[in-house]
């Protein structure tokens, strides 16, 4: 039997409680990514995100994700026009989630989370060594979606993948074999 789910929470469920409502009623499990950026001074930022997806064809490969305008990630992407999508394995999920902490500006969030930054091949934002795969992206556009509060809005971010890398143990094989090796 199929159940109808309203796309928005009931009126009495306000922010921040609507986040829990949304996660328990709308979302299905998605892959976990760690988005890395640098600010205008070159200080690394890291944020876990599950609202993203790679796509493309022979004309280009892209990555799109959703975030809030108030987050350092979106602010850094807009300022520097670059970001990296880092893909952790299942056994790295708890370590990856350390990046969810709200660090003040000027803190290297990769190091503060106990992860290791390594240089990227094509962009200034670093890759995370512990992650299994990386998509280095240059910003194509951002699109504000709707306000979350008085001074905040949701933002879609689209980047073109300009370089990619991965651990050699996850690269060979079919798609199901690659998923199995990532756990």
């Amino acid at each position: 039997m199929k159940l109808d789910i309203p796309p928005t929470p009931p009126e009495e469920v306000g922010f921040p409680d609507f986040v829990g409502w949304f996660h328990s009623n709308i979302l299905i499990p998605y892959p976990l990514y760690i988005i890395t950026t640098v600010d205008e001074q070159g200080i690394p930022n890291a944020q876990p995100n599950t609202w993203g997806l790679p796509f493309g064809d022979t004309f280009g490969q892209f990555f799109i994700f959703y975030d809030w305008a108030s987050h350092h990630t979106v602010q850094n992407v807009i300022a520097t026009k670059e970001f990296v999508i880092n893909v952790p394995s299942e056994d790295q999920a708890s370590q990856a989630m350390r990046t969810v902490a709200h660090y003040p500006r000027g803190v290297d969030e990769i190091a503060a989370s106990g992860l290791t930054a390594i240089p990227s091949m094509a962009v200034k934002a670093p890759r995370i060594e512990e992650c299994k795969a990386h998509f280095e992206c240059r910003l194509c556009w951002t699109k504000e979606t709707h306000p979350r509060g008085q001074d905040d809005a949701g933002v879609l971010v689209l980047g073109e993948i300009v370089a990619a890398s991965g651990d050699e143990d996850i690269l060979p094989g079919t798609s199901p074999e690659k998923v199995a090796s990532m756990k």
Side-chain angles (χ1 to χ4, degrees), residues 116-134:
T116 310
I118 58 174
S120 290
M121 298 178 294
V123 300
K124 291 179 185 165
R127 295 175 290 170
I128 295 177
E129 183 174 16
E130 291 83 358
C131 289
K132 302 297 262 175
H134 318 274

Side-chain angles (χ1 to χ4, degrees), residues 1 9 13 17 19-20 30 34 54 58-59 86 100 113-114 122 133-134 142 145-146 176:
M1 173 170 70
V13 179
D17 296 330
V19 174
Y30 292 103
I34 303 173
T58 58
F59 299 105
N86 299 273
V100 79
S113 299
H134 318 274
T142 61
T145 58
H146 61 278

Side-chain angles (χ1 to χ4, degrees), residues 120-161:
S120 290
M121 298 178 294
V123 300
K124 291 179 185 165
R127 295 175 290 170
I128 295 177
E129 183 174 16
E130 291 83 358
C131 289
K132 302 297 262 175
H134 318 274
F135 302 117
E136 300 176 33
C137 302
R138 289 213 174 91
L139 180 64
C140 295
W141 51 256
T142 61
K143 169 75 171 131
E144 190 173 296
T145 58
H146 61 278
R148 176 174 82 164
Q150 285 186 320
D151 299 321
D152 206 3
V155 179
L156 280 172
V157 177
L158 177 71
E160 181 177 12
I161 298 171

Side-chain angles (χ1 to χ4, degrees), residues 20-43:
W21 179 92
F22 186 74
H23 283 277
S24 64
N25 290 286
I26 299 291
L27 291 181
I28 58 172
Y30 292 103
L32 172 66
Y33 308 106
I34 303 173
I35 302 170
T36 52
T37 61
V38 292
D39 65 17
E40 293 174 285
Q41 287 72 45
I43 300 182

